[in-house]
């Protein structure tokens, strides 16, 4: 059984910060790629940040310079540090983990940026 659980979301004022965590447990095997996606009402799910391997990172243009993705392979955990948050960052955030054989999604966690 594989479990993927996000944490760290919530309500924050514009300009504030949040740190999201996503931890996987169970017989997931080696995780090659980790990433964060988000989906706002009425919009398609989009990639926010990803690490296809231990060294490479990719960011959406809208979050470059504000968000930082990192990973702890020993804990099967991926993090997303979000700084200088804007109202347009409001969305449900999902983590995605890729092994050789499977793709795993977290259940999603709400991030709301509002004054």
């Amino acid at each position: 059984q594989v479990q993927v659980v996000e944490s760290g979301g919530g309500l924050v004022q514009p300009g504030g910060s949040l740190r999201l965590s996503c931890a996987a447990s169970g017989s997931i095997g080696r995780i090659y790629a980790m990433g964060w996606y988000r989906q706002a009402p009425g919009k398609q799910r989009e990639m926010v940040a990803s690490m296809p391997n231990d060294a490479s990172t990719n960011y959406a243009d809208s979050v470059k310079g504000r968000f930082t993705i990192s990973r702890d392979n020993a804990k099967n955990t991926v993090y997303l540090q979000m700084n200088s948050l804007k109202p347009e960052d409001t969305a449900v955030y999902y983590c995605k983990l890729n092994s050789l054989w499977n793709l795993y999604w977290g259940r999603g966690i709400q991030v709301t940026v509002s004054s």
Side-chain angles (χ1 to χ4, degrees):
Q1 184 179 6
V2 174
Q3 293 182 315
V4 180
V5 181
E6 300 108 331
S7 62
L11 175 65
V12 66
Q13 294 184 4
S17 298
L18 287 173
R19 191 189 191 212
L20 304 182
S21 300
C22 176
S25 62
S27 300
I28 194 171
R30 181 180 177 183
I31 299 173
Y32 293 93
M34 302 180 178
W36 288 95
Y37 294 71
R38 68 186 181 188
Q39 187 167 22
K43 295 185 178 180
Q44 294 185 345
R45 189 172 299 185
E46 64 174 348
M47 189 275 289
V48 177
S50 68
M51 295 193 72
N53 52 57
D54 290 345
S56 301
T57 59
N58 302 106
Y59 296 95
D61 288 341
S62 60
V63 307
K64 286 181 179 178
R66 300 188 298 119
F67 291 11
T68 303
I69 187 171
S70 60
R71 61 195 285 172
D72 186 336
N73 291 332
K75 297 181 178 180
N76 283 339
T77 300
V78 60
Y79 306 94
L80 185 67
Q81 178 67 46
M82 304 184 294
N83 298 326
S84 301
L85 283 162
K86 304 175 181 179
E88 51 263 44
D89 295 318
T90 297
V92 176
Y93 284 70
Y94 302 86
C95 67
K96 186 181 76 172
L97 310 175
N98 290 308
S99 69
L100 181 63
W101 298 103
N102 296 103
L103 183 153
Y104 303 95
W105 286 98
R107 297 176 183 177
I109 189 165
Q110 180 70 46
V111 172
T112 302
V113 185
S114 179
S115 59

